Amino acid sequence: MAAFAVSVQAKEVPLLGNVMARETMSLNGEWNYIVDVQEEGYYDYRMNPTRWGFFQNAKPQRPEDLIEYDFDKAPKMKVPGDWNTQDDRLFFYEGTVWFKKSFQATPSAETRTLLYFGAVNYDCRVWVNTREVGHHIGGFTPFNYDISDYLKDGENVVIVKVDNKRKAEAVPTQIFDWWNYGGITRDVMLVKVPKTYIENFKLQLEKQSGPKAKKREISFKAWLSEKAAGQTVTLSIPELKVKLTLTTDAEGQVSTTFSVPAKMLQLWSPGNPKRYQVELSTTGDFLADSIGFRTIETRGKQILLNGQPIFLKGISIHEEKAHGGGRANSTADAHELLSWAQELGCNFVRLAHYPHNEYAVREAERMGILVWSEIPCYWTIAWTNPDTYANAERQLNDMIRRDQNRANIIIWSIANETPHSPQRDQFLGRLAQYARSLDQSRLISMAMEVTGASNYKNRLHDNMHEFVDVVSFNQYIGWYRDVNDAPKMEWEVPYDKPVIVSEFGGGARYGYHGAKNQRWTEEFQENLYIENTAMLDKIEGLCGTTPWILKDFRSPRRVLNGIQDYYNRKGLFSDNGEKKKAFYVLRDWYTKK
């Protein structure tokens, strides 16, 4: 199998939706780990896979037995977490680390057990009781394996080989501007399900004929883990007095559209993040979730939320803890970052440059914050490599399937700052069409680059305009071009579509002061925001912005001693939550929008 083909293992099963509503046992906590620089735990000295690898968790049986590893004597690391901030020796490390966890289980013939990973960065192999159950590639989306037949009564052992080496054919590719946090970075859990269970479901408000419609149409689809016809599926939304009983078809699926009185249904919005208790049941399975209903669409150069024009007052965010770096991985982490965004006046966040933790998406929904969600087709992807495309499509699929019921997600983004070429257009065009095949209730976009600049006239030209609903682009007037140019700039977006400026900004070290033309000072960044917001007001069809970025974040590309120190300093907050002067400029601009 090619290195980046979508892996189909015997025990891998399609992604389980709504995992937080399932009966689970957490495997979070301390795991033993072994750093394996030359991957001797997987390959022999000829670089052939060995059957005597670390996954055997072997122990000497005789005094003369030679075994050169011992998980039980190895140090421990917290999972979920990254190895870069938990072991000083691994701060810059990119390579292989092995993880081992023992757990108790009592298998049952009446149920199945799935082993669920929220995310592992980047290439991982998983063994249960020395038997390999799966191989997954991609650092920011969940995956799960049916390990029912691998469990035994009593103590069980799961071993995970994690490799975060960057590769040209990977997604993201070899070069990217954020920290390559390695490890089991999100939750690990055992999920108990019936033999035939509800694999996933989708519940969405249909676009309406007009704001005065007396009824609202809601579409519903659910599918079982098996192609089982004649199974009963019940949908209940008590507050809306909805209760439907449906019967699965030959594919094990049900689908319908039903109406509710418009006056009864409160639509989800940033000002009213209303969600309804939704219950779904079959014989032997039951799910519950809190789901909001809203519509998102475009009309000419406007974005309409629930039929009304909206300006997206946004900010870009990386998935990094608010204090001291490290991969964010909890509701508390998400809440702190999102609270900073709300303090800035945001009703919208761009979760860059990869799918963020499910906790972050759900917390944003609860707080009333709209979301742009993105896969890491970042910079120069291997456009002609079929395995690279398969990997990108898999990540897009799993991002959408995980979050398709979250009302706050309004944009699926397929790329960021990609160089123009026919091969790139074909690659991204296929991704856009695939996203629409999965979900027609949201908008498609991508962060483009401005390539049609001539002196002070900027004309956006990108063949991908045919595939997106919202034209988004990044520009750095004032940082990669003189800030004094901003008042002179003219922008032309020759498409009858809404416009989002998906990045602008510049760096400043918190507490470093000087003249407004002195780079890296807060005054420089402040002036940049003053000039940019005035310039952006002149762009026809501007419907929102997501400046770069909420807070300073770690990046190995940012090496300037005394200023950057391996941090990208474009944050409006320092890494410790201190507001820079530019924060107030953007907040005041958003207050007027």
Side-chain angles (χ1 to χ4, degrees):
M1 181 177 292
F4 280 82
V6 175
S7 176
V8 181
Q9 295 292 324
K11 288 296 177 179
E12 184 172 11
V13 292
L15 183 64
L16 189 67
N18 200 24
V19 70
M20 294 181 179
R22 313 280 179 160
E23 182 180 348
T24 63
M25 184 179 86
S26 175
L27 295 186
N28 293 349
E30 293 190 330
W31 290 50
N32 297 98
Y33 70 100
I34 297 173
V35 181
D36 189 7
V37 177
Q38 295 193 8
E39 296 188 282
E40 63 175 328
Y42 190 75
Y43 298 106
D44 65 19
Y45 72 109
R46 305 287 190 192
M47 285 305 291
N48 298 310
T50 174
R51 57 179 175 168
W52 309 115
F54 291 179
F55 48 84
Q56 291 289 345
N57 192 31
K59 305 295 180 187
Q61 302 300 308
R62 301 172 303 166
E64 62 268 29
D65 286 349
L66 176 63
I67 298 175
E68 297 184 273
Y69 69 95
D70 188 339
F71 276 109
D72 294 335
K73 293 180 180 178
K76 293 183 178 181
M77 181 179 295
K78 290 182 180 178
V79 170
D82 59 87
W83 64 57
N84 312 80
T85 57
Q86 295 192 71
D87 185 335
D88 291 342
R89 301 171 302 165
L90 303 180
F91 185 65
F92 289 104
Y93 181 67
E94 295 180 322
T96 289
V97 176
W98 293 79
F99 293 87
K100 174 255 181 182
K101 178 79 169 181
S102 297
F103 62 92
Q104 297 292 316
T106 305
S108 168
E110 305 302 317
T111 59
R112 309 297 293 173
T113 300
L114 306 187
L115 176 58
Y116 181 98
F117 292 86
V120 179
N121 193 34
Y122 174 75
D123 183 328
C124 83
R125 294 181 181 272
V126 181
W127 291 263
V128 172
N129 295 327
T130 75
R131 298 171 65 187
E132 185 168 7
V133 297
H135 177 207
H136 182 265
I137 298 171
F140 304 98
T141 48
F143 54 99
N144 41 234
Y145 304 110
D146 185 343
I147 62 169
S148 306
D149 297 336
Y150 293 5
L151 293 177
K152 58 186 180 181
D153 194 19
E155 183 173 273
N156 294 260
V157 175
V158 58
I159 290 176
V160 183
K161 175 184 180 289
V162 183
D163 182 355
N164 75 330
K165 287 192 295 289
R166 292 166 293 115
K167 297 182 179 180
E169 66 272 29
V171 182
T173 187
Q174 275 183 311
I175 301 175
F176 46 89
D177 189 16
W178 66 86
W179 206 265
N180 188 23
Y181 289 115
I184 304 174
T185 56
R186 296 181 187 163
D187 289 349
V188 186
M189 61 186 80
L190 299 177
V191 187
K192 184 178 179 181
V193 293
K195 283 193 169 182
T196 299
Y197 55 90
I198 302 166
E199 183 182 291
N200 209 337
F201 73 97
K202 182 163 57 173
L203 188 66
Q204 296 171 336
L205 182 64
E206 297 287 290
K207 295 182 177 66
Q208 302 302 301
S209 58
K212 296 183 180 180
K214 293 183 180 180
K215 291 186 177 181
R216 301 285 188 181
E217 301 293 321
I218 297 175
S219 64
F220 170 68
K221 182 177 181 179
W223 50 100
L224 304 182
S225 58
E226 306 290 339
K227 293 182 178 181
Q231 302 296 303
T232 298
V233 178
T234 300
L235 170 69
S236 177
I237 312 175
E239 193 174 349
L240 296 178
K241 296 179 171 51
V242 170
K243 189 167 185 179
L244 303 175
T245 300
L246 307 168
T247 303
T248 58
D249 60 18
E251 297 298 311
Q253 299 179 4
V254 295
S255 62
T256 190
T257 300
F258 59 93
S259 301
V260 297
K263 64 181 180 181
M264 179 182 291
L265 184 66
Q266 295 184 50
L267 300 184
W268 187 100
S269 69
N272 180 38
K274 171 66 178 178
R275 295 176 296 167
Y276 291 87
Q277 177 78 357
V278 173
E279 299 170 352
L280 193 60
S281 61
T282 63
T283 302
D285 202 6
F286 175 83
L287 290 179
D289 198 0
S290 295
I291 293 179
F293 299 100
R294 59 96 191 99
T295 61
I296 191 73
E297 55 193 318
T298 66
R299 182 176 60 202
K301 291 183 177 291
Q302 292 181 318
I303 294 175
L304 306 180
L305 176 67
N306 300 327
Q308 300 299 316
I310 186 171
F311 187 86
L312 300 173
K313 298 182 281 189
I315 193 72
S316 296
I317 302 178
H318 261 303
E319 189 179 68
E320 191 171 271
K321 289 180 181 291
H323 303 281
R327 182 63 68 207
N329 49 42
S330 69
T331 297
D333 290 336
H335 181 79
E336 185 162 18
L337 295 172
L338 294 168
S339 295
W340 291 0
Q342 283 192 327
E343 194 175 354
L344 185 57
C346 295
N347 61 11
F348 178 57
V349 293
R350 178 187 179 202
L351 299 183
H353 283 294
Y354 38 76
H356 285 216
N357 201 302
E358 185 172 357
Y359 292 126
V361 176
R362 285 179 174 267
E363 183 64 6
E365 182 183 47
R366 187 193 68 80
M367 295 171 69
I369 300 175
L370 296 159
V371 165
W372 158 315
S373 189
E374 185 166 297
I375 59 170
C377 288
Y378 184 90
W379 290 355
T380 308
I381 297 294
W383 306 117
T384 60
N385 186 327
D387 294 334
T388 301
Y389 177 81
N391 181 256
E393 186 180 277
R394 169 69 184 269
Q395 292 188 49
L396 181 61
N397 176 85
D398 293 347
M399 174 178 72
I400 292 175
R401 288 306 188 202
R402 189 193 72 180
D403 294 331
Q404 60 195 2
N405 290 321
R406 304 280 64 84
N408 59 330
I409 295 182
I410 57 171
I411 291 175
W412 300 124
S413 172
I414 55 174
N416 176 78
E417 292 183 355
T418 51
H420 298 193
S421 72
Q423 295 79 14
R424 168 269 208 173
D425 294 345
Q426 182 180 19
F427 187 108
L428 295 182
R430 286 179 65 191
L431 284 182
Q433 292 169 337
Y434 181 70
R436 290 193 198 285
S437 74
L438 296 181
D439 182 9
Q440 298 184 23
S441 72
R442 292 177 174 85
L443 308 177
I444 306 295
S445 193
M446 58 179 280
M448 302 174 180
E449 289 184 304
V450 177
T451 59
S454 176
N455 293 324
Y456 299 109
K457 293 184 179 180
N458 289 278
R459 188 176 192 273
L460 184 69
H461 175 73
D462 195 311
N463 292 335
M464 284 300 297
H465 78 272
E466 298 181 8
F467 296 93
V468 299
D469 302 298
V470 179
V471 177
S472 305
F473 64 91
N474 301 347
Q475 64 83 20
Y476 281 94
I477 305 298
W479 191 248
Y480 301 119
R481 180 166 174 163
D482 194 322
V483 71
N484 295 315
D485 289 348
K488 308 171 190 175
M489 301 304 293
E490 297 179 14
W491 295 88
E492 181 184 355
V493 182
Y495 314 118
D496 187 30
K497 294 184 177 182
V499 175
I500 293 176
V501 176
S502 38
E503 290 182 28
F504 72 91
R509 187 176 182 105
Y510 173 76
Y512 182 44
H513 295 286
K516 67 179 184 180
N517 65 344
Q518 184 178 350
R519 197 173 286 264
W520 303 114
T521 64
E522 288 193 47
E523 287 73 15
F524 185 100
Q525 187 189 46
E526 176 188 41
N527 185 56
L528 185 153
Y529 269 78
I530 291 171
E531 297 292 351
N532 267 261
T533 51
M535 176 185 68
L536 296 180
D537 279 331
K538 301 174 185 178
I539 297 179
E540 182 186 4
L542 184 70
C543 287
T545 67
T546 51
W548 195 259
I549 187 169
L550 180 68
K551 64 172 283 290
D552 294 348
F553 63 95
R554 283 190 167 129
S555 171
R557 296 174 62 84
R558 308 300 174 170
V559 301
L560 181 60
N561 291 336
I563 296 292
Q564 293 173 314
D565 299 322
Y566 298 106
Y567 273 93
N568 185 311
R569 297 293 184 188
K570 292 186 178 73
L572 297 180
F573 287 82
S574 75
D575 186 56
N576 289 315
E578 299 144 323
K579 300 181 185 70
K580 302 177 190 177
K581 297 182 75 172
F583 166 93
Y584 301 98
V585 176
L586 186 62
R587 187 188 65 178
D588 291 346
W589 188 61
Y590 279 162
T591 299
K592 299 171 186 176
K593 290 294 182 181

